Each structure stands twice: as C-alpha cells, then as structure tokens.
Amino acid sequence: MARQADDRIWLADLNAVLDWPTVFKASQARYAPRPLATFWVQATPGVNYYRAELPARHLPGKTVWFDSVDIQPDGYGGHRFPRQEGQAAVWMFPGNTTRALAMAEMKTQHDLRVLVEVDDNYTRQPAMPQLSAWLTTRDRTGQDRHSYDVHRRIVRSICDGVIVSTPRLAQVYESLTEQVYVCRNSVDPDDWDPEPPHAPDGVLRIGWAGSASHGYDVADIRPALDWVARQKDVEVVVLGELVPFGVPVRHIPWTDSLADYRRNVRELDVMLCPLRPSAWADCKSDVKALEAAMGGACSVVSKTEPYRPWWDGEAPGYVAETSKDLIRVVQHLVRHRNETAETARLAREYAVSSRNIRREIKAWQEAIDGC
C-alpha cells in the first residue's frame, strides 16, 4: 500500500510539471495533413532516420514514439489508437507482448495493414550477445522486455508482412512469412553538404566509424591503420566508441546527433568498412559506405554480403578480403590520391542517383499497399 501511495504522489507531481499535450506532440512527426502510414519507432536516432523518418517524409507518412498513452479504451471492450493515421501501421522490430497485442488489435479490430520493419536479424542473438538487451524467450517478470521469441511469433502470426533492408535479410524472414519486402537504405541529399571538402591542406584522412558492437571488426583494420599513422601527409581519424589500441589517431567521440555525425563523417577521405561474416552480420546493410560517400569519402569494404553493391560492380569502391589485402589497398590509395578523390566523387554520384530516397520510396509504397 505504501508503494502504491508513493506512486500516486510521484505521478501527481509529474502531472503538475509536465505539459502533456506538448510531450504528446513532440514524440510524433507528421509529414502531410493525411499520412498514408504511421511508423512506430524505437531505438536509436540513426535507425529511426533511415528506416522510419526518410520513408515517412517521402510517402508521406508520420512517425510516433510508442507510449502507453497510444492505447486507449474505446468503451466497448476494445481499444483505439489515437495517433495511428493512414492505411498501415509499420512497427520497427517489435518484440514484446504489449506491441504484439496492439498490432493484433490494429489488424483485427481496425482493419489496418500491419507491418514489421527490421534492418537487422532479430530472429537470433548477435555475435556479441552481451551488447543486446533482448531476451531469448518471452519476458515473464512483468517488465515486458523484448525477446527474439516474441518477435518471431509476431512475424509468423500477427503481421501482414515484413519490410527488410537487404536481400539476405529477406531470405531469413522468408522462413517465417511469405510477405517480405526489400526496401534498401537510402539517402536524402537535402540532409547533406553538397560540396564536402577533400584532403584539406594536402593531408589524406583515412579511418573508421563505429560503435562497440564492432569490436571484432576493428581488429582487422588495425595493421593497416598502423601503417597509415607512420606516413607523411596522412592522418588516421576514428569516429565513435572504439579506438584501435596502440595506433596514434585523431579521435572524434560518438554522437547521437545526426547533424553532428554528418559533419564528422566529412573528416574522412577514405572510410574503412570491415565486417567479419556470420549468420547475424551477413544481414546488416551497407549504410556505412553510403554515409562515407555522402561525406565525400571512398570506401574500402570487406568482401561480405552487406557490402555486395560495393564489390559486385554496382557501386564504385575498393574491396579487401584479408588484413593483408587491406594494407595493399590503403597503400595504393595513399600513393594515388587523384584516383582516391575520383572514386569518392563517383561514390557520391552513385549514392545521390541510385540510392536516393526519391527513387527508393517506390519500394516502401509497394509494401504499404501490399503489392
């Protein structure tokens, strides 16, 4: 009883200081008076940007950060969803019971097209399970945490289809449902500097950008960065959470601001994109190489499935299958800087033309319409 009283006091205090209509409005973004779909977002700003904001901006649609206020009693034993608009509800990698029930009711009671969106393989644990907050089986503690088990059940039994970011990821989800739509990650040139600088003061900047989840991958580029750090008029620049041990670098800390990150990416002329193959990593996307291209850099990618466009002839870039290959490629780029700059120019041209959201939005529209 004391705990319940404390909760009521805390809630009363919160209601006294919070402007709930403002909070309600701030957690959603509408890109048209009549959105065609609502994207229910979660997780990080970067994921929300590529997999919800960009398609919502160009369909057009709207984005909403899911909260308990989004499920309201309708007075007849069911529920209404006041912020859901449009013909479809797109749920980003749902994996808990609350979202499962909301999706089921949207579909059966409100006749909405209910879709799951994933940009990673959420059917299994990643290579470094300690970096994931998801459980293996359904949470029975009352906290309703996400789990791979509930996610698979949602895909099999509740949703009308799954939107994925790559063909390999589509293969994984096709084992759970027949309706899978590939909507590749894309860019909006309006969000990027139209003329990013290249090699200021004649210094070629070679580096890497990533989070702690790439702990295995960064080890593969350390020998190449060690060589780079000892060359004249070349600088090692590392963006993010991990810094190669023993290599002198200019470190730019991790940021959750997309605007800051876009400015930071401009500090690279050559982006190294290492990725060790695995059943989980193979389902990731080439967004890192796209960001490099928009920032004015060329990429050196691992010959792994996510970067297939960059080594299979679609996009201009360089490929390294081993650490020794990477050293040779980096040496070539340092010694042939005109070629490096030209490849960066072609890479940006590819991103702006072939991976522009204005071109890719057709795939999102087909998923929304069920074509």
Side-chain angles (χ1 to χ4, degrees):
M1 291 295 293
R3 173 61 183 274
Q4 291 179 352
D6 289 343
D7 288 345
R8 286 195 295 270
I9 293 172
W10 176 83
L11 185 58
D13 291 341
L14 191 63
N15 285 330
V17 298
L18 279 182
D19 181 351
W20 284 109
T22 300
V23 173
F24 200 70
K25 184 178 180 180
S27 58
Q28 66 178 343
R30 181 188 284 108
Y31 296 95
R34 295 183 179 180
L36 299 180
T38 297
F39 290 76
W40 295 90
V41 304
Q42 58 175 329
T44 63
V47 175
N48 290 338
Y49 171 77
Y50 285 109
R51 307 305 298 172
E53 180 183 333
L54 282 187
R57 186 190 298 176
H58 292 274
L59 276 172
K62 67 179 291 189
T63 62
V64 181
W65 187 276
F66 181 62
D67 194 87
S68 58
V69 297
D70 288 304
I71 304 177
Q72 300 288 337
D74 63 5
Y76 301 96
H79 297 90
R80 61 187 181 87
F81 305 90
R83 294 202 286 181
Q84 167 64 40
E85 296 184 73
Q87 69 194 56
V90 183
W91 290 80
M92 298 182 68
F93 46 97
N96 65 354
T97 302
T98 299
R99 284 171 172 78
L101 294 175
M103 294 170 71
E105 192 162 358
M106 283 183 170
K107 178 179 178 179
T108 59
Q109 301 299 319
H110 298 269
D111 198 27
L112 289 168
R113 179 165 170 77
V114 177
L115 299 166
V116 166
E117 191 287 318
V118 291
D119 73 328
D120 271 322
N121 183 357
Y122 289 96
T123 69
R124 60 182 299 159
Q125 290 183 331
M128 300 175 69
Q130 67 272 22
L131 296 178
S132 173
W134 283 41
L135 304 176
T136 301
T137 58
R138 181 167 68 90
D139 186 0
R140 300 179 185 275
T141 68
Q143 299 180 60
D144 199 24
R145 295 167 59 189
H146 281 60
S147 71
Y148 302 105
D149 174 40
V150 173
H151 177 75
R152 290 191 296 267
R153 290 170 184 264
I154 289 172
V155 172
R156 285 196 187 101
S157 307
I158 296 178
C159 73
D160 293 302
V162 180
I163 299 172
V164 301
S165 53
T166 69
R168 176 58 63 88
L169 193 54
Q171 293 176 6
V172 170
Y173 279 89
E174 283 168 353
S175 66
L176 301 177
T177 180
E178 294 182 357
Q179 301 301 315
V180 180
Y181 303 88
V182 178
C183 299
R184 298 192 299 176
N185 281 323
S186 53
V187 300
D188 188 338
D190 291 346
D191 293 336
W192 292 85
D193 185 343
E195 295 183 2
H198 175 74
D201 300 320
V203 176
L204 189 70
R205 304 159 302 177
I206 300 176
W208 176 83
S211 66
S213 63
H214 290 274
Y216 292 135
D217 305 322
V218 73
D220 294 337
I221 64 174
R222 187 190 174 282
L225 294 182
D226 180 64
W227 179 86
V228 169
R230 291 182 278 108
Q231 307 309 305
K232 182 181 179 181
D233 294 331
V234 185
E235 180 184 33
V236 177
V237 180
V238 172
L239 283 60
E241 296 178 329
L242 292 175
V243 179
F245 180 76
V247 177
V249 306
R250 176 159 63 90
H251 179 227
I252 301 176
W254 177 271
T255 177
D256 285 324
S257 165
L258 294 178
D260 288 345
Y261 177 72
R262 294 186 195 109
R263 283 192 291 269
N264 293 345
V265 169
R266 289 171 45 182
E267 296 296 314
L268 291 171
D269 302 307
V270 178
M271 171 82 85
L272 306 185
C273 301
L275 189 65
R276 291 188 182 183
S278 71
W280 186 80
D282 289 351
C283 294
K284 297 185 74 64
S285 79
D286 66 341
V287 69
K288 195 69 63 181
L290 281 177
E291 292 170 341
M294 294 305 295
C298 67
S299 293
V300 184
V301 304
S302 298
K303 195 173 184 179
T304 49
E305 183 60 31
Y307 291 111
R308 178 177 290 273
W310 301 86
W311 55 260
D312 202 21
E314 179 182 342
Y318 301 87
V319 60
E321 296 190 50
T322 67
S323 292
K324 290 184 178 180
D325 284 343
L326 181 59
I327 293 174
R328 285 194 290 268
V329 171
V330 167
Q331 290 174 340
H332 176 84
L333 295 176
V334 170
R335 293 163 182 164
H336 300 82
R337 301 192 182 195
N338 289 339
E339 177 186 321
T340 302
E342 175 63 7
T343 304
R345 185 190 67 79
L346 293 173
R348 183 182 173 92
E349 185 177 285
Y350 162 78
V352 169
S353 58
S354 298
R355 301 292 290 276
N356 194 316
I357 184 60
R358 291 164 181 80
R359 174 173 174 168
E360 294 288 324
I361 197 63
K362 181 180 179 181
W364 290 92
Q365 184 68 67
E366 290 173 351
I368 298 300
D369 293 339
C371 296

